[in-house]
Amino acid sequence: MCGIVGAVAQRNIIPILLEGLKRLEYRGYDSCGIAVHQQGLKRSRSVARVAELETQIADTGLTGHTGIAHTRWATHGAPATNNAHPHFSAKDGENRIALVHNGIIENYEEIRAELIKLGYQFESQTDTEAVAHLINHLYDGDLLATVQRAVKRLHGAFAVAVFCKDEPTRVIGARRGCPLIVGLGEGENFLASDAMALSGTSDQIIYLEEGDVADVRLDAVHITDKNDKPVTRQVQTVHAYSGAIDLGPYRHYMQKEIFEQPRAISDTLEGVLGFTPELFGKNAAEVFNQINAIQILACGTSYYSGMTAKYWLEAIAGLPTNVEIASEYRYRQPAVNLNALVVVISQSGETADTMAALNYAKELGHKHTLAICNVATSAMVRETELSYLTRAGVEIGVASTKAFTTQLAALYLLTLTLAKLRGRLSAEQEAAHLKQLRHLPVALSSVLALEPQIIAWADAFARKENALFLGRGLHYPIALEGALKLKEISYIHAEAYPAGELKHGPLALVTEEMPVVTVAPNDALIEKLKSNMQEVRARGGQLYVFADADSRITSDEGLHVIRLPEHYGLLSPILHVVPLQLLAYHTALARGTDVDKPRNLAKSVTVE
């Protein structure tokens, strides 16, 4: 979702800005643009891809030493050129202020109405243009002081980068609730919303903190805090991994990332020799000994990983666990158990709703927090007491795959660590769990070998417009994740239910035109699940069952079965989600959708 790149240099910065936008493409966007100081303010914007913007810029000869660039995911206003960033604001008929913005300005209508009365004309439907005009209205010859005053008027979560015609070697950045970084160079400096945007340009990174405003110039960067006081922030060496990676033999990043899961799980578990608190941070033992419950906060796919972990944490560690959608938690008044460990889960570590929920939990008095995240330098990792990094590597496909399974692996480690501390895990059980975890990459590779059988199913699914997914116990969240994947990338309407709920409503939807995908591991609920499957067959429904090798479910009229190589006990969810990912991928492929960049969605959801 929305990306920012800015630069002040003594060389033409157009290649730097374009390369930065390309590195942020994986996040999802529907328009893009660049503005530079070229004897005044000049810009180029497009509702196509960055490659089209690059061609457009080459045709116009746009160059400059100071500028900003942006990829936009539409919120206020349709994906149209007039709504694309950067936005300008003029003084005496000449463009004076250029601005790009991530996030949402909640009080923009009030500001917009005020500025219209003052004579400002709006060319877009965006909240961003209101900020550009506000800065122009307040401008007094010092852009830093002006931005400091302007951001105090803004409500919401945002990151902005702005420059002015009258100060041609200066870009100002400000953040509240959305990430923004500074990149340092020699005789040049940069701004970006993600360190990846500056990969190959700068590896000396400053992560701006909440409320910071950065004055970026050729030879220096000055930062002030939310109280406008000068501060020094730590410089970190960050070797960000470029999004422009080789697809190899795969057609899409999503397919590549599905097949990277054995390696991703192996990397995530690397160095785990036992279930010790130190895996989660220096003072984790002290924290874990103080807690008596778990509160999990997450969104989307990460929420389903948390739902799965609830089964583990309660059954194995004996800890009461509550799992909530972050965007709901942050707006209600929960009963607070201050001895609960708040666990936030996010692939990017910058999911806006989850960050807001984390901050709200702290406001409520929660002291103990833990992040499960794929990005070591993310705000979420920096702002929690403890963390565990899922070493999945860069995930470019919008529909999460390897990030989800590595989250499950990390949550399983957390469960077993807490169980051991609470005296619920013997030495023999610990050894058995370690052995099973080490076998996971091999087991996953065996599941991936089922791809040809799943492709055959996908051809049938591609002709459908609706689907049901069923699971029980640990595998109900996996059914939810399978339905989410199918709807995200194939645009087939899909719902998931605990199989026992069929007769309480969803059974009314079942006909021969409604495929019913069933997750059927050979666990304690298998006989109950078989009864639910008979309910579907009796109504003429078509069952597509992912069963374990020893589950004694055989193919029949209206009953299609693919067998997983082995039953994997409590870790079965990690194996059973993989064929659901492949089913969604190949169904989308058969329908001809944009698998890696599904419509209306973005990779990093940095707005509410």
Side-chain angles (χ1 to χ4, degrees):
M1 186 170 285
C2 300
I4 290 173
V5 191
V8 179
Q10 296 174 349
R11 54 176 166 153
N12 177 23
I13 61 168
I14 291 291
I16 295 169
L17 298 180
L18 283 170
E19 184 60 27
L21 294 185
K22 289 175 183 177
R23 294 180 188 280
L24 296 178
E25 281 191 287
Y26 78 99
R27 297 160 65 97
Y29 67 104
D30 42 43
S31 65
C32 51
I34 285 177
V36 293
H37 196 290
Q38 186 182 34
Q39 297 179 334
L41 303 190
K42 304 289 174 60
R43 70 181 168 189
S44 183
R45 300 183 290 179
S46 173
V47 292
R49 294 299 181 195
V50 174
E52 168 61 27
L53 178 68
E54 186 172 22
T55 301
Q56 198 170 295
I57 287 171
D59 291 342
T60 59
L62 195 67
T63 64
H65 295 171
T66 300
I68 52 179
H70 193 261
T71 51
R72 174 180 185 254
W73 185 82
T75 54
H76 297 71
T81 303
N82 66 304
N83 290 325
H85 300 206
H87 286 284
F88 283 169
S89 183
K91 175 74 171 179
D92 299 326
E94 187 175 8
N95 291 320
R96 183 165 73 166
I97 297 294
L99 181 138
V100 296
H101 156 238
N102 288 354
I104 289 178
I105 307 302
E106 294 174 354
N107 61 331
Y108 84 98
E109 290 178 322
E110 170 193 327
I111 295 170
R112 182 185 177 106
E114 176 186 323
L115 291 165
I116 288 173
K117 287 182 180 178
L118 292 169
Y120 285 89
Q121 295 183 348
F122 283 75
E123 299 177 353
S124 76
Q125 291 78 50
T126 67
D127 51 346
T128 308
E129 190 180 6
V131 184
H133 289 321
L134 176 64
I135 290 172
N136 194 13
H137 174 63
L138 296 175
Y139 184 65
D140 61 359
D142 182 348
L143 188 59
L144 172 63
T146 301
V147 172
Q148 288 171 329
R149 290 200 303 277
V151 295
K152 288 177 173 57
R153 290 280 315 272
L154 307 181
H155 300 165
F158 57 82
V160 299
V162 56
F163 73 99
C164 177
K165 174 184 73 69
D166 300 337
E167 300 181 67
T169 59
R170 189 183 204 186
V171 174
I172 306 296
R175 67 149 296 197
R176 185 197 300 159
C178 291
L180 195 66
I181 66 164
V182 172
L184 303 179
E186 293 185 10
E188 57 186 21
N189 291 297
F190 311 93
L191 273 173
S193 53
D194 188 323
M196 185 181 292
L198 302 181
S199 178
T201 299
S202 172
D203 62 1
Q204 298 299 295
I205 302 298
I206 297 172
Y207 289 89
L208 297 180
E209 297 186 11
E210 188 73 358
D212 282 357
V213 178
D215 183 357
V216 179
R217 303 191 184 214
L218 281 171
D219 55 356
V221 173
H222 302 286
I223 300 171
T224 57
D225 65 14
K226 61 184 178 183
N227 298 313
D228 300 337
K229 302 297 183 184
V231 291
T232 300
R233 301 296 187 206
Q234 180 185 0
V235 180
Q236 300 182 40
T237 300
V238 176
H239 299 290
Y241 187 63
S242 168
I245 57 177
D246 185 13
L247 274 171
Y250 302 103
R251 295 184 62 176
H252 297 90
Y253 286 112
M254 182 179 179
Q255 185 188 27
K256 182 177 190 291
E257 288 154 9
I258 290 171
F259 277 83
E260 284 176 341
Q261 286 176 113
R263 178 205 54 78
I265 291 286
S266 179
D267 289 350
T268 297
L269 299 176
E270 185 178 5
V272 176
L273 304 176
F275 306 122
T276 60
E278 290 73 26
L279 292 168
F280 300 89
K282 286 189 301 184
N283 62 332
E286 180 184 348
V287 171
F288 289 168
N289 281 319
Q290 294 177 26
I291 63 168
N292 62 11
I294 305 289
Q295 172 68 65
I296 295 176
L297 303 171
C299 301
T301 286
S302 296
Y303 171 65
Y304 297 148
S305 72
M307 286 181 68
T308 307
K310 175 182 171 71
Y311 288 90
W312 289 332
L313 286 160
E314 294 195 339
I316 303 171
L319 279 165
T321 301
N322 188 40
V323 187
E324 286 204 53
I325 295 171
S327 58
E328 291 295 316
Y329 174 86
R330 62 183 288 200
Y331 291 117
R332 73 179 191 86
Q333 295 177 304
V336 178
N337 173 6
L338 296 182
N339 292 319
L341 174 67
V342 175
V343 179
V344 288
I345 310 171
S346 168
Q347 187 280 138
S348 66
E350 60 183 60
T351 307
D353 284 318
T354 310
M355 277 299 304
L358 171 63
N359 292 332
Y360 181 52
K362 289 180 179 180
E363 290 171 12
L364 292 173
H366 283 287
K367 297 178 182 177
H368 302 311
T369 57
L370 183 152
I372 302 233
C373 181
N374 193 39
V375 181
T377 54
S378 66
M380 209 168 286
V381 170
R382 297 197 308 274
E383 294 182 22
T384 50
E385 186 178 19
L386 307 173
S387 63
Y388 193 90
L389 292 177
T390 58
R391 295 172 178 83
V394 174
E395 190 179 61
I396 292 174
V398 166
S400 182
T401 53
K402 62 180 180 175
F404 178 71
T405 49
T406 53
Q407 284 171 359
L408 289 177
L411 288 162
Y412 198 68
L413 285 180
L414 175 64
T415 299
L416 295 173
T417 300
L418 292 170
K420 183 178 177 181
L421 279 177
R422 294 166 64 83
R424 297 171 63 99
L425 195 70
S426 67
E428 293 77 12
Q429 289 172 320
E430 181 175 15
H433 283 298
L434 276 171
K435 182 179 180 181
Q436 196 176 37
L437 282 168
R438 290 182 183 126
H439 181 63
L440 254 183
V442 175
L444 281 167
S445 297
S446 298
V447 174
L448 289 166
L450 299 172
E451 186 180 32
Q453 298 176 57
I454 294 168
I455 291 171
W457 281 13
D459 290 338
F461 269 73
R463 298 189 291 272
K464 305 297 183 182
E465 294 302 327
N466 301 281
L468 284 176
F469 286 69
L470 303 178
R472 296 203 74 146
L474 266 174
H475 296 82
Y476 166 49
I478 300 308
L480 284 164
E481 173 63 9
L484 177 63
K485 285 291 154 285
L486 189 67
K487 71 182 80 170
E488 276 182 310
I489 61 170
S490 75
Y491 315 144
I492 292 172
H493 170 245
E495 295 185 61
Y497 289 91
E501 281 292 292
L502 260 181
K503 54 189 171 294
H504 296 291
L507 201 56
L509 297 173
V510 172
T511 69
E512 62 181 11
E513 290 301 311
M514 175 73 80
V516 180
V517 180
T518 308
V519 183
N522 191 20
D523 59 14
L525 294 172
I526 187 64
E527 295 304 324
K528 297 288 186 185
L529 185 62
K530 287 179 181 178
S531 297
N532 302 139
M533 290 163 54
Q534 289 302 324
E535 294 168 0
V536 173
R537 294 190 71 190
R539 275 77 181 178
Q542 294 288 312
L543 281 161
Y544 292 82
V545 182
F546 290 105
D548 287 341
D550 54 355
S551 59
R552 299 190 303 280
I553 300 173
T554 56
S555 297
D556 200 352
E557 183 70 27
L559 177 59
H560 314 276
V561 180
I562 290 178
R563 298 189 183 284
L564 274 65
E566 56 186 304
H567 176 54
Y568 221 59
L570 289 168
L571 284 171
S572 175
I574 297 177
L575 295 185
H576 268 276
V577 76
V578 173
L580 300 181
Q581 295 168 349
L582 287 168
L583 179 62
Y585 170 74
H586 285 289
T587 300
L589 199 62
R591 287 169 69 95
T593 63
D594 190 343
V595 173
D596 286 332
K597 298 185 179 74
R599 67 190 182 203
N600 304 333
L601 300 180
K603 184 64 184 170
S604 296
V605 185
T606 54
V607 298
E608 182 181 352

